Amino acid sequence: MPGVPAPAQGAPTAGAPARPAAAGAQAATAGAAASNALVVPEASGTHGPADPHGVAAGRHVPVQGAPARPDHAPVSPAAAQGAPGTGAPAAGVRFDRRDRSEASDGGAPVQDAPHTPDTPGTPPAHQPAQPDEYPLQAPDPRMAGEPAQAGPAPAVCVACRAGRVDDDGYCENCGHAQPRERDHMEQECGPLAAVTDRGLRHHRNEDAFAVGTTALPDGSPVSVAVVCDGVSSATRPDEASLAASRAANASLLVALPRGTHPQQAMHDAILAASEAVNALAGEQPAGAREHAPQQNAPACTIVGAVVTAGLLVVGWVGDSRAYWIPVDRSAPPARLTEDDSWAAQMVAAGLMGEAEAYADHRAHAITGWLGADAYDLEPHTAAFKPDRPGVVVVCTDGLWNYAESADEMAEVVPVDAAERPLHAGQVLVGHALDGGGHDNVTVALVPFPAVPQGAGSA
């Protein structure tokens, strides 16, 4: 994920194993693109005026929590008070004691105490309950027609296999953070696919993606992919990336069928994503910024691709990237985006070479992002008309850190990526994890030209 924004631009930079739940019959319920591969860009740079107000184990081990809470199986009124209409518990069968005909120590059988009839007008006499006497109570007639409903079984830790998982997602025994839904996600949508993973160093996944397919007014197919990376120094970066990816994807899927030009649609989608992220800042409690002024508003980067039968459009803000990888690997690949980052500025100004700039510790300080405290939102868009088939790789820096140049990326993208995009995504995420997995990793693969929905991984 991006590091802190560049200073020159302002600031977004188990106790014992869980006991099985008790069960009683009715008495209790269970508790539980390239030089010769691409034509000169049809258009590039900013499209339209910018509107800043527009639209696992070893990773994080918290302190051990409280001991596992005891199970409390709900008990019917009859079980707690006895059968209605009687002043004493109803008689039942005991399973915890030996038969009275058996001798407790090998001697004579145990005898019941003599029974003295009650004298009229006096309270009935009862024998004191013995410590190990747990009779089964008669069911409450009012509840006899209601079937027992079992509750959800308590979750068990995936690490120690013993402790219960608390409401915050940590094991009460070993403190291990349990897998979350966003830790690893995969989606195949017709001819395109995307994969995201938390990586090996972060305690949560702050990346997000959204993919989809639709049709242009002439009926030709179009594929859409959006990838976002939460700014880790900002508040709620995971929510920012999710909101931005969903908003941009939804905007594209609505605008394209209406006949909006893909490049304009991409520009508008980025503005829509910006609005969604800005809205998160408005949801912060009153006075939150006063009590924690060092915290920045929710922020993220964004990169997207729209692929039709003859046009490829990309749009971005930040340092998430898009690459063109031709099917014919004898043709050169290309990087389609330019980072909004300190390193990119140094290279553009001729102050550093690319290798030197990206080796600097300030390399990933971003100079453009989506968020309420972004000064000037300038969505970048570019359109290309590739002259051969290929695949567009849309990814966060969690992947391109391990395959930075277009040539390096082409080396790790499987040769059948256009036919098997989901498999290719899995391979690319695995490449990043094998390289160290220092960041969240997200990649979407979109074959060019667009093909009708239904084609995809074999």
Side-chain angles (χ1 to χ4, degrees), residues 87-100:
V93 180
R94 291 194 303 269
F95 294 96
D96 58 298
R97 303 182 65 193
R98 292 183 292 177
D99 192 290
R100 290 182 179 273

Side-chain angles (χ1 to χ4, degrees), residues 324-328 386-391 418 448-449:
W324 164 258
I325 311 297
V327 170
D328 179 3
D387 58 358
R388 66 198 67 201
V391 62
F448 176 90

Side-chain angles (χ1 to χ4, degrees), residues 25-28 73-84 89-90 135-140 142-143:
Q26 299 184 9
V75 181
S76 70
Q81 302 175 4
L136 297 177
Q137 307 298 338
D140 186 337
R142 296 170 296 179
M143 303 178 65

Side-chain angles (χ1 to χ4, degrees), residues 236-265:
R236 300 155 64 194
D238 54 329
E239 296 180 39
S241 63
L242 186 61
S245 62
R246 289 178 172 177
N249 186 65
S251 177
L252 288 167
L253 294 180
V254 168
L256 292 169
R258 292 177 176 175
T260 304
H261 189 278
Q263 191 167 3
Q264 180 65 53

Side-chain angles (χ1 to χ4, degrees), residues 240-315:
S241 63
L242 186 61
S245 62
R246 289 178 172 177
N249 186 65
S251 177
L252 288 167
L253 294 180
V254 168
L256 292 169
R258 292 177 176 175
T260 304
H261 189 278
Q263 191 167 3
Q264 180 65 53
M266 177 62 76
H267 180 271
D268 295 345
I270 294 176
L271 295 180
S274 177
E275 281 191 345
V277 178
N278 293 349
L280 295 177
E283 295 173 2
Q284 297 185 73
R289 295 296 296 272
E290 296 179 6
H291 291 86
Q294 75 283 0
Q295 293 185 342
N296 301 317
C300 68
T301 69
I302 186 172
V303 62
V306 173
V307 173
T308 71
L311 185 66
L312 160 60
V313 172
V314 295

